[in-house]
Amino acid sequence: MQALARWLLLGIILAVPGCASIPPATAPSTPETHRQHLATLAEIDQFGLKGRIGVQTETKGFSGSTQWQHTPLQDEIALFSPLGSQVAAIHRTSGSVSLVTSDNKHFEAADAETLTEQNLGWRLPMNGLADWVLGRPGKAPIETVQWDDAGRLVKLRQDGWDIEYGQYTAIGHYQLPTRLTLRHASRLTLKLIVQQWQLP
């Protein structure tokens, strides 16, 4: 019953309406269309976003909101409870990752995956997430990939994660995701709804 209640709460929170979005098309794309789309996305090396996040593992769940500022040199991610109180702040540089909890405890690790699993109970896949959230593959080898007729990612399997894209929105001349679901073989599911994109 507790697991069912967590999923119901997660569904309610992630049902928040966002900006007008473009659902992925279903027709097959050509290599040229997704090459052009990826070439456009390659222009983006920093961004900010605000949205809703839901996490479910075998034993626990989390749902709330998030704010993320990304540059090539660092990441600042804040996680908030459904009532708006800050749960954790994550700071990543090229050399280290730190996490500050709501009770002001500081933790550090060499990578975000280890740090978040130890202190939040679930892994945040920072190695690929900055690319995946923009709708492009990361640097790890691609296992499987599926594009829509506009050249946008629909499904991606990479670095042990299955990523599905539910909606896109137009931000200037970019097509950026607004709904993502990430699943890991460890029975970890992350759901992200981007409510606001911020580009330079």
Side-chain angles (χ1 to χ4, degrees), residues 101-179:
T101 61
S102 58
D103 53 359
N104 208 34
K105 292 181 179 179
H106 293 247
F107 302 92
E108 292 191 8
D111 62 86
E113 288 80 0
T114 300
L115 186 64
T116 52
E117 186 167 35
Q118 289 177 345
N119 296 284
L120 300 178
W122 45 273
R123 299 172 66 85
L124 186 66
M126 288 297 295
N127 284 338
L129 194 58
D131 288 308
W132 298 339
V133 78
L134 290 170
R136 64 191 183 195
K139 296 178 181 179
I142 296 172
E143 298 177 48
T144 60
V145 65
Q146 180 180 338
W147 312 86
D148 68 13
D149 65 343
R152 303 170 303 193
L153 275 175
V154 175
K155 293 182 180 180
L156 172 68
R157 177 176 294 173
Q158 188 174 37
D159 203 22
W161 289 85
D162 287 292
I163 305 105
E164 295 183 6
Y165 295 84
Q167 287 183 323
Y168 284 81
T169 191
I171 305 293
H173 65 286
Y174 302 107
Q175 295 284 324
L176 298 181
T178 54
R179 288 179 180 265

Side-chain angles (χ1 to χ4, degrees), residues 9 12 21 23 36 41 76 80 82 91 121 127 129 131 134 159 163 177 186 196-197:
L9 176 61
I12 292 170
S21 299
Q36 291 174 350
L41 293 181
E76 297 280 355
F80 300 91
H91 176 71
N127 284 338
L129 194 58
D131 288 308
L134 290 170
D159 203 22
I163 305 105
S186 61
Q196 181 180 346
W197 279 104

Side-chain angles (χ1 to χ4, degrees), residues 52-69:
R52 312 292 300 180
I53 185 171
V55 182
Q56 186 64 51
T57 71
E58 281 191 291
T59 58
K60 66 184 298 183
F62 169 79
S63 58
S65 61
T66 185
Q67 297 180 14
W68 182 4
Q69 293 291 327

Side-chain angles (χ1 to χ4, degrees), residues 30-80:
T30 66
E32 183 59 27
T33 56
H34 59 74
R35 275 199 297 266
Q36 291 174 350
H37 177 64
L38 290 179
T40 301
L41 293 181
E43 301 170 1
I44 304 174
D45 64 355
Q46 57 184 324
F47 61 80
L49 67 80
K50 296 180 181 180
R52 312 292 300 180
I53 185 171
V55 182
Q56 186 64 51
T57 71
E58 281 191 291
T59 58
K60 66 184 298 183
F62 169 79
S63 58
S65 61
T66 185
Q67 297 180 14
W68 182 4
Q69 293 291 327
H70 169 80
T71 74
L73 299 178
Q74 66 178 5
D75 289 281
E76 297 280 355
I77 299 177
L79 299 172
F80 300 91

